[in-house]
Structure formats: C-alpha cells, structure tokens
Amino acid sequence: MPVPFNFLQQKLAVPNINLDEEIRLTTNNRERAQMDNMADLYSIIVVLEHLEVAYIRSAVSHTEYTPACKQLIAQFKAASSLLVDVVPDLEKFMKEYSLDCPAAAKRIKIGVPATVEFGDAGSSKASGHYKNVAEIVQNYNNAMDMLKLGRTAADEIHPLLADIMQSLNGMRALPSDFEGRAKMREWLIKLNGMKASQELDDEEKRQLEFDLESSYSAFYAWLNSQ
C-alpha cells in the first residue's frame, strides 16, 4: 500500500534554511582572531614549501632564497606563538588540514635556511681559507663563552650554533662527514623545538659544552692534518 505523501512530509521534515544567509565560522572576536592566525600559519607553510622546492630546482638564487626563507621561518614562529594552546604540534596541524608540505616541515624543524644547513656554493664566503678558519674559531668561541656565562636560553644559543654551521659549510675542504656538522644540526633542531625563553637544564648544558669542545677539537685536528 503506498505511503501517503503528507505522512512522508511529516516524517522527513526538511529544516528551513536560508541559502542567502552568511554562515558564521566564529561567534566572537577572539575566535575570529584565532581563525585568522590559523589561516596565516597555513599560508606560511604553503609558501615556504614552494620556496624550498623552487630552491631545490634552482628556480631561485641563493641571494633570493636565504632572506626569504629566514623571513618565513620568523613569521611562522610569530604566528605559532599566538596559537600555542590551539596548535601545539606542527605535524598534527598539517595532518588535520591535509597539508602535504614535507620540505617546509623540515625547514621549520631545524629553523635555518638550507644555505646555512648545507652551505652555499654560490656564496662569496666559500672563498678565503684563512678567513674561514678565523670565522669558525670565533663562532665556536662565541658559543662556548655564552654557555660559560650561564646564558642558555634557546633564542640566545640557536643563532650562535647556526653561525657555526654556516662557517663550517663555508670551509669547502672540510670532509662532508665531519662530525661537527651532524652535532650542530641535532642541536639546532632541539633548540628550535623549544620556546624562545626556555633554557637548557644543567645536563643539556653540559652535553652541549662537551659537543662543542669535541667538535672544536676535531676541527683543529683536521686543520693540523692539512
């Protein structure tokens, strides 16, 4: 027996929706600001991914890439600092919003451009053996002196280790498997994952001092062997 049409209308009532009415994603200014910050974070990651891919493919020069990458990393840190409670983990954020940006994620993780992590073959800093040696010695001393002064905040130590990494990469004759590079990379990743004001504890400080001294000694041993 056919079901009466009026019965179907009652059982399958369709809500009254105004298609011209604006759908609000937020209900107050705080939520709106949070949504805007998340949109900024999303766009920064996407732009950084495109920049990394462009650099890998030599579509941008090192002089264009380095400052742009530094700016995007700084912008990411500024945007993420406003979303600590909402976006505590980059990987979860990228997964939740289907962001397939592995190159950007890696760059954000270490916190320095590829030209600092791996060196820059196009840079004029790659020339001048004695100048490079002086820079490496100075950068190691700066980092070790900072630790001796008890200054162990992430935002104070990270740039000093980045300087060491960059100067080591400027020494073209240095073996590619030189242990100092690997140690600096590990510490850069660790420090970049900390809050800017967060300090190393006593055990971490002691380990970093040991790694710096052993890396410094290994560099001098290599230098004397030349």
Side-chain angles (χ1 to χ4, degrees), residues 25-208:
L25 299 176
T26 60
T27 57
N28 54 55
N29 290 337
R30 182 180 180 182
E31 290 181 357
R32 189 176 301 110
Q34 179 178 297
M35 189 67 70
D36 289 342
N37 290 333
M38 290 176 71
D40 289 339
L41 196 67
Y42 185 100
S43 62
I44 290 168
I45 294 171
V46 173
V47 172
L48 182 55
E49 177 73 14
H50 286 300
L51 179 64
E52 288 295 304
V53 173
Y55 179 69
I56 291 170
R57 295 175 178 173
S58 299
V60 294
S61 67
H62 66 279
T63 54
E64 295 171 317
Y65 164 80
T66 303
C69 186
K70 287 181 178 179
Q71 182 179 7
L72 286 168
I73 291 173
Q75 289 173 333
F76 173 85
K77 290 181 178 180
S80 59
S81 68
L82 301 174
L83 296 165
V84 175
D85 297 330
V86 184
V87 187
D89 184 82
L90 173 61
E91 291 184 6
K92 290 182 180 179
F93 177 79
M94 293 177 66
K95 184 177 181 179
E96 181 178 355
Y97 293 98
S98 302
L99 268 172
D100 185 21
C101 300
K106 179 183 178 182
R107 193 56 44 219
I108 290 169
K109 185 177 181 181
I110 192 168
V112 293
T115 46
V116 174
E117 182 182 5
F118 300 111
D120 178 10
S123 173
S124 60
K125 290 184 178 180
S127 60
H129 176 81
Y130 295 108
K131 180 182 177 182
N132 286 340
V133 170
E135 286 181 352
I136 292 171
V137 171
Q138 184 63 53
N139 290 333
Y140 269 114
N141 286 332
N142 288 342
M144 289 188 285
D145 287 345
M146 182 69 78
L147 292 175
K148 288 176 183 177
L149 291 172
R151 306 283 290 276
T152 59
D155 63 347
E156 293 178 317
I157 302 299
H158 188 279
L160 297 178
L161 301 190
D163 287 342
I164 293 175
M165 175 72 85
Q166 190 167 22
S167 59
L168 287 174
N169 286 325
M171 180 66 74
R172 296 300 169 194
L174 199 62
S176 59
D177 60 349
F178 176 67
E179 67 177 80
R181 288 195 183 97
K183 289 293 183 183
M184 292 308 103
R185 187 177 293 110
E186 290 172 7
W187 278 105
L188 285 171
I189 292 173
K190 179 179 179 63
L191 290 165
N192 197 53
M194 297 167 59
K195 293 181 179 178
S197 60
Q198 187 176 348
E199 297 184 348
L200 299 175
D201 60 30
D202 291 341
E203 184 178 347
E204 290 169 330
K205 176 177 177 288
R206 184 172 180 178
Q207 184 63 52
L208 178 54

